[in-house]
Amino acid sequence: MLCAYTRMLLLHCPLLLLLLPLGSRPQKFPTRDEELFQMQIRDKAFFHDTSVIPDGAEISSYLFRDTPKRYFFVVEEDNTPLAVTVTPCDAPLEWKLSVQELPEEASGEGSGDPEPLEQQKQQITSEEGTELFSYKGNDVEYFVSSSSPSGLYQLDLLSTEKDTHFKVYATTTPESDQPYPELPYDPRIDVTSLGRTTVTLAWKPSPTASLLKQPIQYCIVINKEHNFKSLCAVEAKLSSDDAFMMAPKPGLDFSPFDFAHFGFPADNNSGKERGFLKPSKFGRQTSSKPRVDLHKVCIGNKNIFTVSDLKPDTQYYFDMFAVNTNTNMSTAYVGTFARTKEEAKQKTVELKDGKVTDVFIKRKGAKFLRFAPVSSHQKVTFSVHSCLDAVQIQVRRDGKLLLSQSVEGVRQFQLRGKAKAKYLVRLKGSKKGASMLKILATTRPNKQSFPSLPEDTRIKAFDKLRTCSSVTVAWLGTQERNKFCIYKREVDDNYNEEQKKREQNQCLGPDTRKKSDKVLCKYFHSQNIQKAVTTETIRGLQPGKSYLLDVYVIGHGGHSVKYQSKLVKTRKFC
């Protein structure tokens, strides 16, 4: 059993400082006796600044670069089963397990007064222990023996790369403990389906869940850099301050059971379970944010999962960890990687100089257009008329981004030209629904197919001028002389804003309207933009009826743009 021998608590190398008074009665290391274990845990003085490994509990600790750390435990009887697991987190470790014989006078339960501290240290450390196992790397590595000799065991750890976290677990009852979930005979993760933005993963369940019926949940880790060999390596990567443990101040050797240091409550209500040995929330808050390129999601006990919202044509690394929710200890499956499929190649539409092109874009979709002027040019003009919701436009000249903006209504962009240049236009649709638009590209500055519009395209109705048979409205114009046509349509009294919004396709011109809807057409402009306002009275209406009014402005090229529709109602009694 990994317990302290009565006198062995005071036997130590210089790296291990014990704060017990020499005249006090000797104590044992933590044992498997639950009540005794709880009592020793509550005795803070017993654990403070020790490097003792308790039996059957995983400890988390910290190494400063090039500063070795040594842990101890005692096996009292020969032929004792022993298992030691060391888990590096964010850096490779060098570690060695060795054993020294116990002094002959310490082989029994012990009696009488304890020997002086210096004499006991000399008895143990004067001879080099026998090396049992050593390892260098960042894998989770194990030492397992079905029959270990009695003695003082030393675990020496060193990090030569950087300051790092690690975990250690030791037990003398490995067959019954099994705190780490067992892997299936085939521990690989299979990629069962691959898309442009999704990857479906499947794996065989842990026997710990399927046979032993212990509570197991699976956690998936996705990133673009590499596979991870342990969950604590993931946690260390997720936060620059590390998710499971805070680094101690330099010069302080500390015990993993110094609960106040780790943010545990200071009272002694520790309960009957060993739940306080699990990683917990810490009293000290950290401002570091998770890295956007590394994601962890725990999905319960399912053994198939689809990862979504990935980027097309991108390589991702996938790791799976089985976590025993009773012990909070985990085992890594064999990670895998996969590259998502390429984005479907878009057909590029050729734009002709001075000709309007109609474009339809699916919801959240995109369209590519190409403009290659046949002659040299100093400037190029792109005119865009968004019929429904706003769309995003990007223009690149020979690969260089020149323009990236949102367009609502009619917009015109004039860019500097370049001999033999080719322009690639990317149009991205709305998230709300499908998008429709008209686009014109030209190298001739005077070629304006779309009419100019004021910033405010609303129609104003004058309530005081409303009668039983007429309504008076006004709208803004521009400095450019354009033709304006006004149309009316009688609608039901329950006609609402939602129905009006569905009919707000600005690209539908007067040619789609009934002749009986037409009220009049007129030309209008003003050199003084402040006075570019026109009014019109629509007569011959029915009392108490609702009408939808539309104003169209028609450009020199014959293309029209509709103002925002206006719902009006005549008076019922006059």
Side-chain angles (χ1 to χ4, degrees):
M1 182 176 285
L2 280 180
C3 64
Y5 193 70
T6 53
R7 298 183 180 181
M8 291 311 300
L9 183 60
L10 300 178
L11 304 180
H12 224 288
C13 75
L15 289 176
L16 182 62
L17 301 178
L18 295 181
L19 303 182
L20 291 177
L22 294 180
S24 65
R25 295 183 62 186
Q27 295 187 25
K28 291 180 178 289
F29 286 146
T31 71
R32 304 296 287 222
D33 183 285
E34 191 68 24
E35 292 186 4
L36 180 58
F37 185 86
Q38 296 293 335
M39 180 195 71
Q40 292 171 339
I41 288 293
R42 289 193 294 269
D43 186 357
K44 302 269 292 196
F46 174 77
F47 283 105
H48 186 68
D49 283 344
T50 72
S51 294
V52 176
I53 300 178
D55 190 0
E58 186 181 62
I59 63 171
S60 300
S61 193
Y62 194 85
L63 274 176
F64 292 104
R65 183 170 65 89
D66 294 331
T67 303
K69 180 170 283 191
R70 175 172 290 176
Y71 286 90
F72 294 87
F73 58 88
V74 171
V75 173
E76 292 182 330
E77 300 177 0
D78 288 330
N79 304 316
T80 299
L82 177 65
V84 178
T85 303
V86 177
T87 303
C89 290
D90 47 350
L93 294 181
E94 298 179 21
W95 63 274
K96 178 180 70 173
L97 182 66
S98 56
V99 61
Q100 295 187 44
E101 291 185 3
L102 295 172
E104 291 183 4
E105 58 271 24
S107 59
E109 281 297 317
S111 60
D113 296 329
E115 298 173 357
L117 177 62
E118 290 301 320
Q119 182 179 344
Q120 292 177 342
K121 285 165 57 178
Q122 290 173 4
Q123 284 180 307
I124 293 297
T125 60
S126 59
E127 297 182 4
E128 283 293 324
T130 302
E131 182 177 314
L132 301 176
F133 184 81
S134 64
Y135 174 76
K136 180 178 180 180
N138 59 356
D139 282 326
V140 179
E141 195 55 70
Y142 314 86
F143 169 80
V144 180
S145 174
S146 59
S147 179
S148 297
S150 62
L152 176 68
Y153 284 75
Q154 297 176 185
L155 178 64
D156 295 286
L157 303 105
L158 176 67
S159 173
T160 59
E161 189 173 297
K162 63 177 183 177
D163 298 350
T164 183
H165 296 83
F166 65 93
K167 294 186 178 185
V168 176
Y169 174 80
T171 178
T172 55
T173 54
E175 290 297 324
S176 60
D177 278 7
Q178 296 185 347
Y180 295 97
E182 187 180 347
L183 290 177
Y185 67 91
D186 182 1
R188 295 174 298 181
I189 305 171
D190 295 321
V191 177
T192 61
S193 178
L194 195 62
R196 290 190 295 271
T197 60
T198 61
V199 173
T200 300
L201 306 172
W203 57 95
K204 293 177 176 59
S206 166
T208 305
S210 58
L211 299 179
L212 301 180
K213 304 302 180 183
Q214 292 191 27
I216 297 295
Q217 76 165 344
Y218 299 100
C219 295
I220 300 174
V221 175
I222 308 106
N223 79 106
K224 299 179 186 177
E225 296 180 3
H226 55 76
N227 289 109
F228 288 88
K229 297 181 178 180
S230 67
L231 197 52
C232 77
V234 174
E235 291 166 340
K237 185 78 170 179
L238 276 172
S239 173
S240 58
D241 218 11
D242 291 70
F244 68 94
M245 187 174 179
M246 303 300 178
K249 294 180 180 179
L252 280 182
D253 192 15
F254 68 97
S255 167
F257 298 101
D258 187 354
F259 296 148
H261 176 82
F262 290 102
F264 286 92
D267 60 33
N268 291 328
N269 298 325
S270 54
K272 293 294 292 180
E273 296 182 358
R274 296 191 190 180
F276 47 71
L277 294 181
K278 301 175 185 178
S280 178
K281 292 182 180 179
F282 308 105
R284 196 182 95 190
Q285 297 296 320
T286 173
S287 60
S288 60
K289 298 180 179 179
R291 304 187 182 205
V292 295
D293 60 344
L294 177 63
H295 301 276
K296 183 183 79 170
V297 55
C298 295
I299 60 170
N301 58 7
K302 296 186 296 183
N303 64 327
I304 185 169
F305 184 74
T306 298
V307 185
S308 57
D309 295 326
L310 302 177
K311 292 183 179 180
D313 193 27
T314 304
Q315 181 158 300
Y316 289 90
Y317 294 85
F318 303 96
D319 291 289
M320 175 63 57
F321 299 93
V323 182
N324 187 325
T325 56
N326 279 345
T327 65
N328 211 30
M329 296 163 76
S330 59
T331 305
Y333 278 65
V334 177
T336 189
F337 61 89
R339 178 174 289 273
T340 50
K341 291 184 178 180
E342 293 183 8
E343 190 79 71
K345 291 186 177 180
Q346 296 276 356
K347 182 180 178 181
T348 303
V349 178
E350 293 288 341
L351 294 175
K352 294 184 179 180
D353 198 332
K355 184 178 179 181
V356 176
T357 301
D358 293 305
V359 180
F360 175 81
I361 309 172
K362 295 180 180 179
R363 177 177 174 268
K364 292 186 177 181
K367 283 289 178 70
F368 292 88
L369 304 95
R370 182 174 174 270
F371 181 50
V374 293
S375 58
S376 60
H377 56 283
Q378 293 183 337
K379 294 181 180 179
V380 60
T381 302
F382 290 92
S383 300
V384 181
H385 181 192
S386 177
C387 307
L388 300 171
D389 295 314
V391 296
Q392 295 286 333
I393 180 173
Q394 283 187 348
V395 180
R396 295 179 183 272
R397 184 187 65 204
D398 298 332
K400 182 181 179 181
L401 183 65
L402 301 180
L403 171 70
S404 180
Q405 284 199 26
S406 177
V407 175
E408 194 168 7
V410 176
R411 291 288 302 275
Q412 182 175 292
F413 306 98
Q414 196 169 75
L415 307 175
R416 182 176 295 178
K418 188 177 180 182
K420 299 181 180 180
K422 293 180 176 60
Y423 300 84
L424 182 66
V425 181
R426 181 180 185 266
L427 300 169
K428 187 176 181 181
S430 168
K431 295 180 180 179
K432 300 177 182 177
S435 300
M436 296 173 60
L437 59 95
K438 295 176 181 287
I439 185 169
L440 177 142
T442 182
T443 56
R444 292 168 285 177
N446 297 326
K447 183 72 173 179
Q448 301 298 331
S449 291
F450 296 136
S452 59
L453 288 176
E455 289 186 5
D456 190 346
T457 59
R458 292 175 297 175
I459 303 171
K460 178 177 174 59
F462 298 95
D463 186 65
K464 291 183 178 180
L465 301 179
R466 187 167 55 101
T467 71
C468 291
S469 60
S470 68
V471 293
T472 300
V473 294
W475 64 90
L476 298 177
T478 65
Q479 294 174 314
E480 182 181 334
R481 188 173 185 267
N482 284 316
K483 181 181 180 181
F484 294 87
C485 293
I486 187 165
Y487 283 71
K488 64 173 173 51
R489 178 166 63 93
E490 185 179 335
V491 294
D492 296 333
D493 288 339
N494 58 0
Y495 188 88
N496 54 40
E497 289 295 321
E498 187 62 33
Q499 289 173 285
K500 187 177 75 172
K501 187 176 181 181
R502 288 199 297 265
E503 298 179 9
Q504 281 294 87
N505 187 341
Q506 291 188 340
C507 294
L508 295 177
D511 55 329
T512 63
R513 303 296 296 265
K514 296 178 181 179
K515 287 186 178 181
S516 58
D517 289 349
K518 185 176 179 181
V519 176
L520 60 86
C521 291
K522 69 177 185 180
Y523 287 89
F524 165 72
H525 78 289
S526 175
Q527 293 300 323
N528 186 346
I529 195 65
Q530 303 296 329
K531 297 181 178 180
V533 182
T534 185
T535 61
E536 196 64 46
T537 300
I538 297 99
R539 306 180 191 277
L541 307 179
Q542 298 297 315
K545 297 293 183 179
S546 297
Y547 293 87
L548 192 68
L549 303 181
D550 289 306
V551 171
Y552 298 88
V553 55
I554 303 169
H556 301 301
H559 295 282
S560 63
V561 179
K562 184 162 70 76
Y563 277 50
Q564 297 179 41
S565 300
K566 180 66 177 179
L567 185 65
V568 295
K569 188 174 184 178
T570 57
R571 295 187 186 276
K572 194 171 185 179
F573 302 103
C574 296

